[in-house]
């Protein structure tokens, strides 16, 4: 009996030692291991949108469209002036957008002092928040890659696709060329939209001719930007943009030209030949350049991002394709922002 008990004890000890030596680590077994949830492993997508007085509903609609069409983790940087920030915060917290992750950033317009030339032709373009895109590294600290969007856009695709835009080595930003889609050419011609440097820069000025840029060079639209913050800071892009703003104050290089691109023109100069391309379906623009000209409904349904660039905004009247914009609009709980419609 003692021998049998001794044998059983030896066999038990051997079995324990075998299991310890040959035990498969938990993480290598053919079973799900929740070490870190996929949400925690995902990269956060920072999206910068301005919330300006009088058009705050635009920013809210843009945010609503992005949030509703992606499973990605998006961090919204909502940039405003001191006087407008309480309004947009209340709007978000009292609507279905209260679930979004966001930071409100105050933009100090004093950084623009002495850098903007007054232009009576389109005074709305001189609003301080139009220049937020020049100062992205000062507003966004911890991100390597950032998306900037004008407020008058609607995103119909997954913002992750736009964020995945590849930037070539040495490029601080990606934009959409104004000559990229043949399907937009008829629209451009019909509304007289400028899509070359001639429409934005005054080639009568020696400083512009000295750039050596052909006036027929295709322009790009900085209403949608995918930016690399490391390159932006390394190349001192903000300083370069400020230099051309100050030169324009002194020499009137672009403010009174046909394009009216007070914020666009310095970017065309600084980024000439040094930017990557965004998929053209991720920036269908010119929707605000005429109250009559329209794209086909099929084309608009396929578009990933719609931009009402121009004077005729979808929250005002007249404007086109307002139904596509209004799908994402969230009424202002305070009642301050109201849509302008023919029957209102």
């Amino acid at each position: 009996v003692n021998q049998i008990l001794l044998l059983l004890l030896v066999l038990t000890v051997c079995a324990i030692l075998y299991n310890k030596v040959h035990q498969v680590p938990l993480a290598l077994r053919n079973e799900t291991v929740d070490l870190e949830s996929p949400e925690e492993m995902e990269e956060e997508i920072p999206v910068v949108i301005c919330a300006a007085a009088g058009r705050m509903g635009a920013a809210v609609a843009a945010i609503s469209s992005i949030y509703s069409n992606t499973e990605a983790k998006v961090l919204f940087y909502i940039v405003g002036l001191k006087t407008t920030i309480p309004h947009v915060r209340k709007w978000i917290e009292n609507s279905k957008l209260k679930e979004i992750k966001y930071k409100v950033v105050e933009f100090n317009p004093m950084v623009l002092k002495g850098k903007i030339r007054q232009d009576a032709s389109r005074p709305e373009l001189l609003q301080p928040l139009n220049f937020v895109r020049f100062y992205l590294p000062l507003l966004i600290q911890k991100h390597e890659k950032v998306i900037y969007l004008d407020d008058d856009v609607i995103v119909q695709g997954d913002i992750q696709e736009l964020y995945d835009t590849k930037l070539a080595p040495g490029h601080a930003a990606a934009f959409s060329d104004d000559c990229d889609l043949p399907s937009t050419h008829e629209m451009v011609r019909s509304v007289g939209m400028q899509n070359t440097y001639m429409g934005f820069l005054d080639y009568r000025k020696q400083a512009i001719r000295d750039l050596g840029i052909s006036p027929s060079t295709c322009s790009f639209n900085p209403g949608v930007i995918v930016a690399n913050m490391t390159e932006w800071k390394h190349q001192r892009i903000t300083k370069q943009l400020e230099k051309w703003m100050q030169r324009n104050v002194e020499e009137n290089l672009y403010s009174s030209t046909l394009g009216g691109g007070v914020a666009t023109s310095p970017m065309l100069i600084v980024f000439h030949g040094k930017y990557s391309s965004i998929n053209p379906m991720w920036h269908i623009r010119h929707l605000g350049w005429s109250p009559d000209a329209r794209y086909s409904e099929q084309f608009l349904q396929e578009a990933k991002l719609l931009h009402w660039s121009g004077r005729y905004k979808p929250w005002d009247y007249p404007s086109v394709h307002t139904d596509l914009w209004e799908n994402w609009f969230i009424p202002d709980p305070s009642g301050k922002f109201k849509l302008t419609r023919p029957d209102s």
Side-chain angles (χ1 to χ4, degrees):
V1 173
N2 289 339
Q3 288 178 337
I4 293 172
L5 290 173
L6 181 62
L7 179 62
L8 289 173
L9 180 61
V10 170
L11 290 174
T12 302
V13 171
C14 289
I16 292 171
L17 290 173
Y18 180 88
N19 282 336
K20 283 192 173 294
V21 172
H22 295 278
Q23 186 176 28
V24 180
L26 181 64
L28 299 181
R29 291 181 185 171
N30 186 24
E31 61 189 60
T32 302
V33 182
D34 192 21
L35 297 177
E36 188 175 18
S37 67
E39 289 77 17
E40 291 172 330
M41 296 173 67
E42 276 183 333
E43 187 175 4
E44 209 165 48
I45 300 177
V47 177
V48 179
I49 296 181
C50 296
R55 48 192 290 162
M56 208 164 289
V60 169
I63 292 168
S64 170
S65 69
I66 295 167
Y67 179 65
S68 301
N69 287 308
T70 187
E71 296 295 323
K73 286 178 65 177
V74 180
L75 173 57
F76 293 98
Y77 284 87
I78 304 171
V79 186
L81 302 180
K82 188 175 183 178
T83 54
T84 61
I85 284 175
H87 186 186
V88 71
R89 194 187 295 276
K90 182 179 178 183
W91 199 328
I92 290 171
E93 296 299 334
N94 289 278
S95 72
K96 66 179 183 180
L97 292 182
K98 62 187 175 185
E99 302 297 328
I100 69 172
K101 186 175 181 181
Y102 74 101
K103 293 182 179 180
V104 175
V105 181
E106 181 184 340
F107 182 67
N108 186 351
M110 289 304 294
V111 300
L112 301 172
K113 188 175 181 180
K115 301 183 183 75
I116 301 177
R117 184 184 183 89
Q118 296 304 309
D119 186 358
S121 61
R122 291 194 65 184
E124 74 275 13
L125 295 177
L126 302 178
Q127 295 301 315
L129 295 181
N130 278 335
F131 301 92
V132 161
R133 70 198 90 189
F134 290 12
Y135 297 94
L136 293 177
L138 302 182
L139 300 168
I140 313 301
Q141 300 294 332
K142 66 174 184 174
H143 301 283
E144 169 73 9
K145 198 175 186 182
V146 173
I147 293 173
Y148 167 88
L149 299 177
D150 276 354
D151 60 0
D152 52 353
V153 307
I154 288 297
V155 174
Q156 300 186 138
D158 186 341
I159 197 72
Q160 181 74 55
E161 292 180 29
L162 181 60
Y163 185 74
D164 289 341
T165 298
K166 295 287 189 294
L167 273 68
H171 285 178
F175 307 97
S176 287
D177 285 321
D178 282 331
C179 311
D180 51 13
L181 270 182
S183 50
T184 67
H185 293 172
E186 184 177 344
M187 170 74 87
V188 170
R189 285 193 296 269
S190 68
V191 301
M193 174 68 182
Q194 293 297 309
N195 61 0
T196 66
Y197 273 56
M198 175 65 86
F200 293 90
L201 305 179
D202 189 347
Y203 276 83
R204 296 170 299 179
K205 302 297 173 65
Q206 188 62 43
I208 298 300
R209 295 198 299 272
D210 287 346
L211 291 169
I213 303 173
S214 169
S216 62
T217 300
C218 184
S219 56
F220 59 80
N221 186 303
V224 176
I225 308 172
V226 181
N228 180 311
M229 293 292 91
T230 300
E231 279 296 333
W232 192 293
K233 288 182 279 192
H234 175 69
Q235 298 179 32
R236 297 171 63 84
I237 296 295
T238 298
K239 289 294 183 186
Q240 292 188 58
L241 292 167
E242 287 184 326
K243 181 191 81 170
W244 283 102
M245 292 169 74
Q246 288 168 332
R247 288 199 66 174
N248 181 60
V249 170
E250 299 162 4
E251 304 174 49
N252 194 18
L253 301 176
Y254 53 75
S255 287
S256 299
T257 52
L258 185 58
V262 191
T264 298
S265 298
M267 298 196 85
L268 291 177
I269 295 171
V270 170
F271 284 100
H272 174 251
K274 294 184 292 185
Y275 65 91
S276 298
S277 295
I278 290 173
N279 179 333
M281 294 304 288
W282 266 100
H283 194 177
I284 302 304
R285 46 218 176 275
H286 319 315
L287 276 74
W289 277 86
S290 166
D292 303 310
R294 288 175 167 266
Y295 287 115
S296 75
E297 292 301 323
Q298 180 181 352
F299 177 69
L300 292 178
Q301 291 299 327
E302 295 171 355
K304 304 287 189 178
L305 182 149
L306 304 176
H307 186 185
W308 278 262
S309 54
R311 297 173 185 264
Y312 301 96
K313 303 302 184 186
W315 54 89
D316 281 334
Y317 180 82
S319 55
V320 296
H321 304 299
T322 54
D323 55 323
L324 294 174
W325 181 87
E326 206 165 329
N327 283 339
W328 306 107
F329 174 67
I330 298 172
D332 182 0
S334 73
K336 295 177 184 176
F337 183 94
K338 293 182 174 64
L339 303 183
T340 304
R341 294 293 181 254
D343 53 353
S344 62

